Amino acid sequence: MPRDAGPGRIVQIDGSIADIRFDGRLPAIGTQLVAGAEDEIVIEVAALPGADSVRGLVMTPSAGLRLGMEVRDTGAPMDIPVGAPVLGRMLNLFGETIDDGPALEGAARRPVRGARVPLSRRHVEGEIFETGVKAIDLLSPLERGGKAGLFGGAGVGKTVLITEMIHNMVAEYAGVSLFCGIGERSREAEELWREMGEAGVRERTVMVFGQMNESPGVRFRVGHAALTMAEYFRDEMSRDVLVLIDNIFRFVQAGAEVSGLLGRIPSRVGYQPTLGTELAELEERICSTDSGAMTSIQAVYVPADDFTDPAATHTFSHLSASIVLSRKKAAEGLYPAIDPLKSASKMLTPGTVSQRHYDVARAVRATLAEYDELKDIIAMLGLEELSEADRATVRRARRIERFLTQPFFTTEQFTGKPGRFVALNETIDSCARILDDALPDRAEGDFYMIGSLDDLKAQEAGDAA
């Protein structure tokens, strides 16, 4: 039962933090407080600094916020609408629609901060989740019911890659897709909303945004709000859920802002001392149960391309697949700029993937690794100084590098090349043929930005005609 602690008064305001004094019983941490004539200002209790006061995060900064303003305790935590009514809608943290559609009516609501699933109820799927992106499916296959991260610095293609995976997977996916934008640019949110409509998959998709211009408290909580919706689809409606998050670093960044506002002493590299705990609270809610599978793909910005940054290292530990994007690959025009030697997946084992997939992936990685070691010799002495065997390795590696590029559906308007979804079996067959030198007369450039090797036959037929 909600309880009333009696009205409080704002006694101090510091940015997005407000101290509120209560005469009676204090509200608990996590409780939602409201202020203003129409309860338009929302504050979440974040700390209890004194015996008669609370410190709260102001979620909706307003010009009307002032000292002495009366604050009411709702006696309940922040909540968000869940279930079938939210499908096909774009919402903010408070469950308000931001897609110019009608307001949600009659939807059930659940607390934003949910409880984690006990280990006894968790279920491991152990199946591959095919994306249609060659470099991912071959070398870093995703796990159905697992968590995958797209790591990279600014401008290497994280958002483009996650948008392409949305395009490829949502159309084929039988469950519910949920996109969570943490610290997203308004432009990206609008583009994604439009693309979902054009692809005809909006009715099975929910989009939740805490945008870049909103308060740190909103950006810090919107990930939890999205997972509350996903948990309802999984547990109450027995649906599989695909959760796409862009960007986990913005969640960590918002947590650092909140921590600084609350007066906590910063830890390593200026991050909040509670970084590991806060990230685990979010990540550990993403799991599968007997009711349904919850699969997550997360973009992770890496500051200054430093993979030893605490935000990146803490995120790595929660994932079943890590896809690392390389600035060097992007500079060479090899898109998607996935680094095959740094990317990894726990699914790439003989007991999970087919033996042929495992063997071809290992051979591809070994060939690329050997080429990487030969690059210094080539730069100093030239390709002619290598042995015949090493020259053959370089030839195969350069063809594989170019074959692992791929035209995307989401970039057709920029490249002029139609996008390609490549099935895993086609990728394995094509890479095996390249390793076997099946097309010795083809130039390296022929392997660039194609789907499978069958595209080369189609090009030949078109040229002949």
Side-chain angles (χ1 to χ4, degrees), residues 72 214 231 262 293 302 408:
R72 182 172 64 83
E214 298 191 73
E231 287 167 347
L262 292 174
V302 180
F408 281 176

PDB file of all heavy atoms in Angstrom, residues 72 214 231 262 293 302 408:
ATOM      1  N   ARG A  72       5.479  16.208  -2.795  1.00  0.00           N
ATOM      2  CA  ARG A  72       4.597  15.158  -2.272  1.00  0.00           C
ATOM      3  C   ARG A  72       5.216  13.783  -2.495  1.00  0.00           C
ATOM      4  O   ARG A  72       5.760  13.487  -3.567  1.00  0.00           O
ATOM      5  CB  ARG A  72       3.241  15.247  -2.984  1.00  0.00           C
ATOM      6  CG  ARG A  72       2.213  14.231  -2.479  1.00  0.00           C
ATOM      7  CD  ARG A  72       0.851  14.503  -3.082  1.00  0.00           C
ATOM      8  NE  ARG A  72       0.856  14.328  -4.524  1.00  0.00           N
ATOM      9  CZ  ARG A  72       0.716  13.146  -5.146  1.00  0.00           C
ATOM     10  NH1 ARG A  72       0.591  12.029  -4.414  1.00  0.00           N
ATOM     11  NH2 ARG A  72       0.715  13.073  -6.454  1.00  0.00           N
ATOM     12  N   GLU A 214      18.436  15.200 -22.114  1.00  0.00           N
ATOM     13  CA  GLU A 214      17.675  15.022 -20.881  1.00  0.00           C
ATOM     14  C   GLU A 214      18.607  14.919 -19.682  1.00  0.00           C
ATOM     15  O   GLU A 214      19.828  14.769 -19.826  1.00  0.00           O
ATOM     16  CB  GLU A 214      16.773  13.799 -21.001  1.00  0.00           C
ATOM     17  CG  GLU A 214      15.735  13.931 -22.111  1.00  0.00           C
ATOM     18  CD  GLU A 214      14.675  12.849 -22.072  1.00  0.00           C
ATOM     19  OE1 GLU A 214      13.813  12.889 -21.178  1.00  0.00           O
ATOM     20  OE2 GLU A 214      14.717  11.964 -22.935  1.00  0.00           O
ATOM     21  N   GLU A 231      11.079  -7.727 -19.484  1.00  0.00           N
ATOM     22  CA  GLU A 231      10.781  -8.788 -18.521  1.00  0.00           C
ATOM     23  C   GLU A 231       9.301  -9.137 -18.522  1.00  0.00           C
ATOM     24  O   GLU A 231       8.928 -10.304 -18.359  1.00  0.00           O
ATOM     25  CB  GLU A 231      11.227  -8.345 -17.118  1.00  0.00           C
ATOM     26  CG  GLU A 231      12.734  -8.345 -16.942  1.00  0.00           C
ATOM     27  CD  GLU A 231      13.180  -7.615 -15.697  1.00  0.00           C
ATOM     28  OE1 GLU A 231      12.357  -6.889 -15.095  1.00  0.00           O
ATOM     29  OE2 GLU A 231      14.356  -7.748 -15.308  1.00  0.00           O
ATOM     30  N   LEU A 262      25.796  13.667  -6.365  1.00  0.00           N
ATOM     31  CA  LEU A 262      25.485  13.208  -5.000  1.00  0.00           C
ATOM     32  C   LEU A 262      26.664  13.402  -4.046  1.00  0.00           C
ATOM     33  O   LEU A 262      26.551  13.101  -2.860  1.00  0.00           O
ATOM     34  CB  LEU A 262      25.080  11.733  -5.026  1.00  0.00           C
ATOM     35  CG  LEU A 262      23.747  11.415  -5.719  1.00  0.00           C
ATOM     36  CD1 LEU A 262      23.541   9.912  -5.804  1.00  0.00           C
ATOM     37  CD2 LEU A 262      22.586  12.068  -4.986  1.00  0.00           C
ATOM     38  N   ALA A 293      13.181 -16.427 -24.002  1.00  0.00           N
ATOM     39  CA  ALA A 293      14.592 -16.030 -24.113  1.00  0.00           C
ATOM     40  C   ALA A 293      14.686 -14.514 -24.246  1.00  0.00           C
ATOM     41  O   ALA A 293      13.878 -13.890 -24.933  1.00  0.00           O
ATOM     42  CB  ALA A 293      15.236 -16.697 -25.322  1.00  0.00           C
ATOM     43  N   VAL A 302      33.976   3.247 -26.752  1.00  0.00           N
ATOM     44  CA  VAL A 302      35.245   3.083 -26.051  1.00  0.00           C
ATOM     45  C   VAL A 302      35.981   4.420 -26.095  1.00  0.00           C
ATOM     46  O   VAL A 302      36.429   4.838 -27.173  1.00  0.00           O
ATOM     47  CB  VAL A 302      36.104   1.974 -26.701  1.00  0.00           C
ATOM     48  CG1 VAL A 302      37.421   1.805 -25.955  1.00  0.00           C
ATOM     49  CG2 VAL A 302      35.325   0.661 -26.723  1.00  0.00           C
ATOM     50  N   PHE A 408      25.459  -2.905 -46.744  1.00  0.00           N
ATOM     51  CA  PHE A 408      24.367  -2.894 -45.761  1.00  0.00           C
ATOM     52  C   PHE A 408      23.096  -2.300 -46.360  1.00  0.00           C
ATOM     53  O   PHE A 408      23.155  -1.382 -47.185  1.00  0.00           O
ATOM     54  CB  PHE A 408      24.771  -2.068 -44.534  1.00  0.00           C
ATOM     55  CG  PHE A 408      25.672  -2.792 -43.567  1.00  0.00           C
ATOM     56  CD1 PHE A 408      26.175  -2.138 -42.455  1.00  0.00           C
ATOM     57  CD2 PHE A 408      26.009  -4.120 -43.756  1.00  0.00           C
ATOM     58  CE1 PHE A 408      27.005  -2.791 -41.556  1.00  0.00           C
ATOM     59  CE2 PHE A 408      26.833  -4.791 -42.859  1.00  0.00           C
ATOM     60  CZ  PHE A 408      27.331  -4.117 -41.761  1.00  0.00           C
TER      61      PHE A 408
END
